Amino acid sequence: MILFLPKLFDEMRCMQLNQIAVNYANQNALNFEGNDAHYGNSYGVARIPEFEQVLHALTPLMQHKTGWTNIVAENSYTRIYLNGSDLKKHVDRPGLDITLSVCTFTNIGHPWPLFVEDETGKVHSIETTPGDGALMLGTKYQHWRDKLVANPQQMIIQ
């Protein structure tokens, strides 16, 4: 299952979430993941309270979109990607069976797709703009992002 979910958030909601993420970054409350097993040159952290609220609010919609009523929210993760960032090819840890990636900000001026390889080996390229989401079976489908090419002042918030 791979779903593109356009406009999960409106512009105002994206701006609110972005401000929270930037505030965390400015307080050095995001972890630098420069050469992590999964990430390169990005900052992130799990379970920011405001993002946890968003996760729980979205869970019924994800149940409706998938038809699976047994979906249980596990955790949110907020990440700021910078020039040179990437997301290495991987599957998610057990318990993250459904992965939802939502773009809330980009100023790079070009797409930076999420690639997902389904059970048949077909690779899907999913481009999200602010407010859009991509849902996939995170523990079954390998997914990744190529190296981000951007100027030093540019970023993407997911």
Side-chain angles (χ1 to χ4, degrees), residues 22-69:
V22 169
N23 286 346
Y24 267 72
N26 289 340
Q27 296 167 13
N28 294 319
L30 300 180
N31 302 315
F32 178 69
E33 295 164 329
N35 286 318
D36 182 82
H38 290 102
Y39 306 100
N41 199 35
S42 64
Y43 291 83
V45 70
R47 295 187 168 97
I48 293 174
E50 296 89 343
F51 286 83
E52 287 290 290
Q53 291 172 358
V54 171
L55 171 66
H56 290 284
L58 284 175
T59 300
L61 177 63
M62 297 307 104
Q63 291 170 333
H64 174 73
K65 292 288 187 184
T66 63
W68 299 339
T69 58

Side-chain angles (χ1 to χ4, degrees), residues 21 30 43-48 51 76-80 157-158:
L30 300 180
Y43 291 83
V45 70
R47 295 187 168 97
I48 293 174
F51 286 83
S76 63
Y77 204 94
T78 305
R79 179 170 306 286
I80 298 177
I157 301 175
Q158 295 276 339

Side-chain angles (χ1 to χ4, degrees), residues 11-154:
E11 184 178 352
M12 181 61 71
R13 187 63 170 142
C14 286
M15 288 173 51
Q16 293 167 339
L17 295 170
N18 295 333
Q19 189 59 56
I20 293 164
V22 169
N23 286 346
Y24 267 72
N26 289 340
Q27 296 167 13
N28 294 319
L30 300 180
N31 302 315
F32 178 69
E33 295 164 329
N35 286 318
D36 182 82
H38 290 102
Y39 306 100
N41 199 35
S42 64
Y43 291 83
V45 70
R47 295 187 168 97
I48 293 174
E50 296 89 343
F51 286 83
E52 287 290 290
Q53 291 172 358
V54 171
L55 171 66
H56 290 284
L58 284 175
T59 300
L61 177 63
M62 297 307 104
Q63 291 170 333
H64 174 73
K65 292 288 187 184
T66 63
W68 299 339
T69 58
N70 61 341
I71 295 174
V72 176
E74 175 64 22
N75 69 273
S76 63
Y77 204 94
T78 305
R79 179 170 306 286
I80 298 177
Y81 292 99
L82 305 169
N83 182 48
S85 293
D86 64 355
L87 174 62
K88 294 166 183 65
K89 196 176 209 181
H90 72 286
V91 294
D92 293 332
R93 66 175 167 79
L96 301 181
D97 302 314
I98 296 175
T99 298
L100 174 64
S101 180
V102 180
C103 177
T104 60
F105 179 83
T106 180
N107 63 356
I108 67 169
H110 58 82
W112 191 49
L114 174 66
F115 296 99
V116 182
E117 185 176 347
D118 68 22
E119 69 276 354
T120 70
K122 180 179 179 183
V123 175
H124 303 260
S125 174
I126 306 168
E127 296 177 12
T128 55
T129 59
D132 297 342
L135 181 140
M136 75 192 102
L137 299 176
T139 56
K140 293 186 180 180
Y141 295 169
Q142 290 197 73
H143 50 284
W144 67 96
R145 291 182 187 272
D146 291 339
K147 191 167 293 262
L148 177 61
V149 177
N151 294 325
Q153 71 279 10
Q154 294 176 315

